[in-house]
């Protein structure tokens, strides 16, 4: 074999070797890309499954609350109505002033209890959420909390009307209720500040903070049912959820839902 043929053979061998290495690299790259796409697909399916699971859990919870609301209205509500009629009849028939005064007091208590029961039943069956604006719903919750005088709740917003569907209103209201209850029960706060705002890029942003005892997040071993419920509700609608707390300073909750591009 001459030098020329040997040189050509070496060149061809190098060319084939380079092409072989290039082919292997392309194959490895495509394999990694396909693997990445497959893992992304699995992750997306898992996220969808997780959201569906959370949605199902909340639907069951909601259905249970609606059933309780209907039972309160149809069963206990009817009995209280009947008792109210009996007291009115006793009040009409009794002629002793002292007894009549006591019967009148009992009648007022029953009627107030009946009114509170109807309000609770309406809230549990979601009629209240469907019929009212989110600002009205939150303000009613604020007014009810302030009426107990355990702490002061202040609600502010930067819009006249926010057009939201049932799901978003339900999420905002339930999270607000959960935070208020936790703050009063566990944080022993004096003030709760609620802000609901909207802007060009944000559909809504809910910010709630209290001045309670707070908790050390670094040493918290359990999120608790209340915090888990809030996270799950925010996750279902794709909202960003964050909570910060400092001991003896307070806790701040922030949930943002950005507008779809």
């Amino acid at each position: 074999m001459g030098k020329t043929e040997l040189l050509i053979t070496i060149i061809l061998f190098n060319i084939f070797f380079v092409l072989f290495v290039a082919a292997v690299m392309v194959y490895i790259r495509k394999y990694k890309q396909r693997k990445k796409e497959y893992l992304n697909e699995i992750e997306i399916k898992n996220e969808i499954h997780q959201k569906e699971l959370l949605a199902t859990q909340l639907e069951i919870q909601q259905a249970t609350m609606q059933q309780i609301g209907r039972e309160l209205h149809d069963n206990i509500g009817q009995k209280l109505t009947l008792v109210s009629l009996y007291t009115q009849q006793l009040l009409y028939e009794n002629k002793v002033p002292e007894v009549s005064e006591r019967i009148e007091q009992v009648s007022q208590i029953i009627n107030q209890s009946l009114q509170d029961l109807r309000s609770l039943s309406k809230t549990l069956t979601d009629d209240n959420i469907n019929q009212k604006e989110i600002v009205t719903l939150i303000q009613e919750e604020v007014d009810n909390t302030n009426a107990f005088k355990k702490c002061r709740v202040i609600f502010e917003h930067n819009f006249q009307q926010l057009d939201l569907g049932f799901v978003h209103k339900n999420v905002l209201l339930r999270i607000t209720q959960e935070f208020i209850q936790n703050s009063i029960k566990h944080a022993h706060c004096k003030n709760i500040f609620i802000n609901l705002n909207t802007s060009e890029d944000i559909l809504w942003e809910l910010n709630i903070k209290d001045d309670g005892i707070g908790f050390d997040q670094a040493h918290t071993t359990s999120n608790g049912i209340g915090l888990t419920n809030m996270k799950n509700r925010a996750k279902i609608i794709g909202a960003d959820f964050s909570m910060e707390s400092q001991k003896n300073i307070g806790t701040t909750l922030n949930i943002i839902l950005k507008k779809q591009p």
Side-chain angles (χ1 to χ4, degrees), residues 218-230:
H219 296 86
T220 301
T221 57
S222 174
N223 285 334
I225 295 175
L227 181 56
T228 300
N229 284 341
M230 288 189 282

Side-chain angles (χ1 to χ4, degrees), residues 4-18:
T4 303
E5 292 177 347
L6 181 61
L7 183 62
I8 291 173
T9 301
I10 293 173
I11 292 172
L12 289 174
F13 176 79
N14 288 335
I15 290 173
F16 283 125
F17 180 76
V18 170

Side-chain angles (χ1 to χ4, degrees), residues 138-246:
I138 294 179
Q139 188 61 56
E140 286 179 350
E141 190 66 27
V142 169
D143 293 340
N144 290 337
T145 305
N146 285 331
F148 287 106
K149 297 182 179 180
K150 289 187 176 181
C151 77
R152 184 180 61 138
V153 185
I154 299 173
F155 174 45
E156 295 179 346
H157 58 86
N158 70 344
F159 53 86
Q160 292 295 327
Q161 182 177 353
L162 185 60
D163 188 19
L164 296 177
F166 169 79
V167 175
H168 285 202
K169 287 194 291 184
N170 184 62
V171 166
L172 283 167
L173 180 61
R174 300 307 181 201
I175 288 177
T176 301
Q177 290 173 331
E178 193 78 51
F179 189 96
I180 290 175
Q181 291 170 10
N182 288 343
S183 294
I184 294 174
K185 185 176 180 181
H186 302 294
H188 309 294
C189 61
K190 294 181 179 179
N191 299 285
I192 299 175
F193 305 93
I194 304 173
N195 284 280
L196 182 61
N197 298 317
T198 184
S199 66
E200 292 183 2
D201 301 324
I202 297 174
L203 181 61
W204 52 258
E205 177 179 2
L206 177 66
N207 183 276
I208 315 177
K209 60 182 179 179
D210 65 35
D211 57 0
I213 61 175
F215 59 90
D216 189 350
Q217 290 178 289
H219 296 86
T220 301
T221 57
S222 174
N223 285 334
I225 295 175
L227 181 56
T228 300
N229 284 341
M230 288 189 282
K231 283 183 177 179
N232 288 346
R233 291 182 187 279
K235 189 175 182 179
I236 285 176
I237 61 173
D240 297 328
F241 180 97
S242 64
M243 179 177 282
E244 295 181 1
S245 185
Q246 291 180 286

Side-chain angles (χ1 to χ4, degrees), residues 12-52:
L12 289 174
F13 176 79
N14 288 335
I15 290 173
F16 283 125
F17 180 76
V18 170
L19 290 174
F20 174 76
V21 172
V24 171
M25 292 179 65
V26 170
Y27 173 80
I28 293 174
R29 185 176 179 182
K30 286 187 176 180
Y31 172 78
K32 288 183 177 180
Q33 185 177 356
R34 286 197 298 267
K35 184 178 179 181
K36 185 178 180 181
E37 290 174 353
Y38 173 76
L39 292 175
N40 287 338
E41 185 179 349
I42 294 296
E43 185 178 353
I44 291 172
K45 287 182 178 179
N46 285 336
E47 288 180 359
I48 293 174
H49 175 72
Q50 188 67 22
K51 285 186 177 181
E52 290 176 348

